[in-house]
Amino acid sequence: MYVYWGMALGPDGHLYVAAHVSEEGGHYLRPTPIGSGRVLRQRLSASGSFLGPTEVFAGRGGSSRRQLNRPSDPCFCSHGNLHISSFVAPGGAASQAAAEGMRRVVYTFSPQGDCLGYLRPSAGASLIRDAWGVSCAVDGGSSLLVACQGEDPASEEVLVRLPSCGCGELLATERASAPDASRPIACGEAASLVGADACIKCANYVANVPGSG
């Protein structure tokens, strides 16, 4: 049984769904086993009908060799790569991020389902230490918006802008052909959007905020 945590249409016209496996009835408040996260892909016809079975695009059983932990809110950048947030597993690929106090990170996946690394701002990394919802900004470029728990655990959620998805620089290097989930991907300086926190009351979803690009 799957518990679903957001979906997006990919550049290939198919549906991508963030989910985790639940053996205990599917209630979202139940503990999540480490490595139970998946990104599911459902091929669609031009009219939106399902074509064939649902596939595991990323996560255990997929081609990424990346253990996802309660992944949430996938989105696709202008480069065609998928970005999705996930808890950092103890001793997992993003152990460096965990050592820096990050509970959740935004992973980047290639169109083939391989994990290319995780986003790490050059400054303001603590702003996205607890990343949830991810969305492409409305500026037509490669920037991303991320809904995050505030730096103070008791604070409300904040909306953070990353000026780059990091894919342009990544694709320009030879390393881009070698999947590496432990690779930090530079995405510029993170900045919280002034006045945006009032628009975000649940850290699972990001909406397009006028003027946020």
Side-chain angles (χ1 to χ4, degrees), residues 124-129 148-156 158:
S126 61
L127 290 173
I128 62 166
R129 63 175 294 275
C148 306
Q149 180 64 45
E151 295 182 77
D152 177 354
S155 66
E156 293 187 342
V158 295

Side-chain angles (χ1 to χ4, degrees), residues 30-114:
R30 293 184 183 275
T32 305
I34 292 176
S36 64
R38 308 285 189 273
V39 178
L40 307 176
R41 176 172 61 191
Q42 177 61 59
R43 300 181 184 276
L44 302 177
S45 69
S47 62
S49 300
F50 284 11
L51 295 175
T54 302
E55 307 165 333
V56 176
F57 172 75
R60 185 178 298 168
S63 62
S64 68
R65 305 182 299 281
R66 166 67 233 153
Q67 286 191 343
L68 292 170
N69 302 283
R70 193 167 285 198
S72 177
D73 301 307
C75 77
F76 288 86
C77 66
S78 58
H79 298 89
N81 290 332
L82 181 144
H83 304 274
I84 190 167
S85 66
S86 169
F87 280 110
V88 177
S95 56
Q96 177 181 341
E100 295 173 352
M102 299 182 73
R103 295 181 65 243
R104 290 181 63 90
V105 297
V106 178
Y107 286 110
T108 299
F109 287 87
S110 73
Q112 292 73 42
D114 292 314

Side-chain angles (χ1 to χ4, degrees), residues 2-212:
Y2 288 110
V3 178
Y4 303 111
W5 291 87
M7 64 185 72
L9 282 175
D12 55 5
H14 302 317
L15 185 66
Y16 292 77
V17 182
H20 72 264
V21 178
S22 174
E23 305 294 343
E24 302 180 1
H27 197 287
Y28 77 98
L29 291 179
R30 293 184 183 275
T32 305
I34 292 176
S36 64
R38 308 285 189 273
V39 178
L40 307 176
R41 176 172 61 191
Q42 177 61 59
R43 300 181 184 276
L44 302 177
S45 69
S47 62
S49 300
F50 284 11
L51 295 175
T54 302
E55 307 165 333
V56 176
F57 172 75
R60 185 178 298 168
S63 62
S64 68
R65 305 182 299 281
R66 166 67 233 153
Q67 286 191 343
L68 292 170
N69 302 283
R70 193 167 285 198
S72 177
D73 301 307
C75 77
F76 288 86
C77 66
S78 58
H79 298 89
N81 290 332
L82 181 144
H83 304 274
I84 190 167
S85 66
S86 169
F87 280 110
V88 177
S95 56
Q96 177 181 341
E100 295 173 352
M102 299 182 73
R103 295 181 65 243
R104 290 181 63 90
V105 297
V106 178
Y107 286 110
T108 299
F109 287 87
S110 73
Q112 292 73 42
D114 292 314
C115 189
L116 303 177
Y118 67 94
L119 299 184
R120 188 182 188 281
S122 58
S126 61
L127 290 173
I128 62 166
R129 63 175 294 275
D130 211 343
W132 283 90
V134 187
S135 177
C136 293
V138 294
D139 58 4
S142 62
S143 59
L144 298 177
L145 301 177
V146 185
C148 306
Q149 180 64 45
E151 295 182 77
D152 177 354
S155 66
E156 293 187 342
E157 294 79 11
V158 295
L159 190 60
V160 177
R161 181 179 183 272
L162 302 177
S164 170
C165 62
C167 295
E169 295 80 359
L170 186 64
L171 293 172
T173 67
E174 295 181 359
R175 296 186 306 164
S177 60
D180 182 0
S182 65
R183 175 192 299 145
I185 301 175
C187 56
E189 183 174 345
S192 59
L193 297 180
V194 176
D197 0 1
C199 303
I200 306 295
K201 293 303 180 184
C202 292
N204 289 357
Y205 305 100
V206 175
N208 288 332
V209 179
S212 62

